[in-house]
């Protein structure tokens, strides 16, 4: 007798991503830091069931795993939902539509020079999310999510926070716009964001840019009580099994944490792909507001990172 689990459409997948990092605080008297870092390594299970009449049940359970120190960490995207010709409905824990709208424009994603670390962009994975993803209308996809706030401030509103995004893709062109209101998730604080992004791929070349306006951002202490405008521009060139990457980012904050409220960051890197599933890279990043993904503070920092990534 064959069990139901053995015949179900279940995929086991994951990613092992670990880097060796050298961080220079660029401050007099401060010590340099060497570290081995797990970067969004994960283990997941996902599956689907055909319900007939074009309707399909979908589900995913994914969690992080610390490949540098061992042990499972926080939950990643984990949900259940339905999909059909009308689009996809899901609920659980998921990237917000804003995060989804510019994910493909971060060419250093999950690395030392990730645009969240270097350009201060705020990307969230929301618990208790209820989301809808439309089918493509000639390249245009609409995404919306609302987050009930019962677990945050006790009021239980169905849309205590919400996120909306539109993405258009045609040939090598990609553009997106998104808006997010997180008031009740912030304990009543006025926290709202809007973001636009664009990218273009032409053969081996890629260029991309993201601009964001992040109002009263309590999510990152360095901008507490103020507004921040964030810009990042990047580009890459693929040759053979290699890819040369570069980015520049700026944060313009109005709370005088930094001189004149403006700080810059830049990075360069080289990837080498051994296969479609395995790559090795080295990169250098320099940031006047700190490389936030390192958790080593917010002072002026530079660093070198050597990493290996394997997907299964």
């Amino acid at each position: 007798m064959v069990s139901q689990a053995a015949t179900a459409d279940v995929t086991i997948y994951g990613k092992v991503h670990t880097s060796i990092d050298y961080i220079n605080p660029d401050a007099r008297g401060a010590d340099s830091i060497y570290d081995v870092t797990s970067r969004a390594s994960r283990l997941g299970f996902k599956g689907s069931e055909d319900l007939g009449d074009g309707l399909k049940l979908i589900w995913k359970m994914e969690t992080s795993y610390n490949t540098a120190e061992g042990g499972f960490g926080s939950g990643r995207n984990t949900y259940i939902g339905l999909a059909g010709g009308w689009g996809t409905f899901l609920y659980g824990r998921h990237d917000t539509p804003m995060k989804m709208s510019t994910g493909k424009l971060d060419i250093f994603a999950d690395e030392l020079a990730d645009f969240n670390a270097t350009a201060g962009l705020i990307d969230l994975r929301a618990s208790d999310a209820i989301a809808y993803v439309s089918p493509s209308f000639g390249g245009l996809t609409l995404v919306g999510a609302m987050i009930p706030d019962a677990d945050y401030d006790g009021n239980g509103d169905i849309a205590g926070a919400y996120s909306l995004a539109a993405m258009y893709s045609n040939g090598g062109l990609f553009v997106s716009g998104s808006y997010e209101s997180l008031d009740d998730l912030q304990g009543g604080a006025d926290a709202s964001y809007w973001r636009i992004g664009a990218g273009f791929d032409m053969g081996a070349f890629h260029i991309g840019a993201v601009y964001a306006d992040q109002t009263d951002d309590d999510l990152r202490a360095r901008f507490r009580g103020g507004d921040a405008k964030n810009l990042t521009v990047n580009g890459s060139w693929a040759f053979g099994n290699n890819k040369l990457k570069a980015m520049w980012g700026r944060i313009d904050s109005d709370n005088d944490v930094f001189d004149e409220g403006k700080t810059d960051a830049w990075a360069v890197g080289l990837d080498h792909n051994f296969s479609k599933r395995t790559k090795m890279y080295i990169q250098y990043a320099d940031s006047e507001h700190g490389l936030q993904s390192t958790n080593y503070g917010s002072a002026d920092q530079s660093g070198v990172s050597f990493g290996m990534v394997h997907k299964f």
Side-chain angles (χ1 to χ4, degrees), residues 297-312:
S298 58
D300 188 8
Q301 294 176 343
S302 60
V304 177
S305 182
F306 167 81
M308 296 189 69
V309 184
H310 176 72
K311 300 177 182 178
F312 61 90

Side-chain angles (χ1 to χ4, degrees), residues 35-107:
D35 198 11
V36 177
T37 307
S38 178
R39 296 190 174 277
S41 298
R42 68 201 67 169
L43 175 65
F45 304 84
K46 61 183 178 181
S48 63
E49 181 183 6
D50 188 349
L51 303 177
D53 298 323
L55 189 64
K56 181 170 63 175
L57 176 101
I58 59 171
W59 63 270
K60 176 187 281 191
M61 295 187 296
E62 183 178 301
T63 187
S64 63
Y65 188 86
N66 191 323
T67 55
E69 300 175 5
F72 288 100
S74 60
R76 294 174 57 85
N77 288 352
T78 300
Y79 58 81
I80 192 168
L82 296 170
W86 44 268
T88 301
F89 165 76
L90 60 88
Y91 58 100
R93 180 170 170 82
H94 200 275
D95 297 343
T96 66
M98 175 173 282
K99 180 179 179 182
M100 295 168 63
S101 73
T102 53
K104 65 168 56 180
L105 299 175
D106 188 0
I107 62 175

Side-chain angles (χ1 to χ4, degrees), residues 61-278:
M61 295 187 296
E62 183 178 301
T63 187
S64 63
Y65 188 86
N66 191 323
T67 55
E69 300 175 5
F72 288 100
S74 60
R76 294 174 57 85
N77 288 352
T78 300
Y79 58 81
I80 192 168
L82 296 170
W86 44 268
T88 301
F89 165 76
L90 60 88
Y91 58 100
R93 180 170 170 82
H94 200 275
D95 297 343
T96 66
M98 175 173 282
K99 180 179 179 182
M100 295 168 63
S101 73
T102 53
K104 65 168 56 180
L105 299 175
D106 188 0
I107 62 175
F108 288 96
D110 297 331
E111 299 169 2
L112 183 68
D114 184 303
F115 67 24
N116 305 112
T118 52
L121 294 170
I122 305 299
D123 279 337
L124 297 178
R125 180 176 292 112
S127 299
D128 304 330
I130 303 170
Y132 169 74
V133 182
S134 79
S136 175
F137 302 105
L140 176 66
T141 301
L142 305 175
V143 190
M146 54 187 181
I147 301 103
D149 61 7
D151 291 345
Y152 297 93
D153 66 7
N155 291 332
D157 295 336
I158 187 65
Y162 62 90
S163 180
L164 304 169
M167 297 169 280
Y168 177 75
S169 182
N170 187 358
L173 177 66
F174 175 82
V175 294
S176 67
S178 55
Y179 177 82
E180 205 160 75
S181 174
L182 306 173
D183 291 0
D184 288 348
L185 268 66
Q186 297 294 85
D190 180 13
S192 60
Y193 320 101
W194 62 265
R195 181 185 298 182
I196 55 174
F200 186 70
D201 295 304
M202 183 176 62
F205 296 93
H206 162 84
I207 56 172
V210 179
Y211 178 82
D213 188 302
Q214 301 176 158
T215 304
D216 198 7
D217 175 20
D218 282 338
L219 293 176
R220 298 287 174 88
R222 66 184 185 278
F223 299 130
R224 190 175 300 277
D227 298 343
K229 295 175 174 59
N230 310 66
L231 173 66
T232 181
V233 179
N234 60 50
S236 66
W237 171 48
F239 56 102
N241 293 331
N242 308 295
K243 181 179 287 187
L244 184 64
K245 307 187 296 187
M247 65 77 57
W248 171 83
R250 165 164 288 186
I251 299 175
D252 185 358
S253 174
D254 70 355
N255 65 354
D256 296 326
V257 172
F258 307 105
D259 292 339
E260 300 180 355
K262 296 180 180 179
T263 56
D264 294 339
W266 62 276
V268 293
L270 178 65
D271 295 353
H272 175 74
N273 296 298
F274 292 101
S275 68
K276 290 184 178 180
R277 296 188 300 156
T278 303

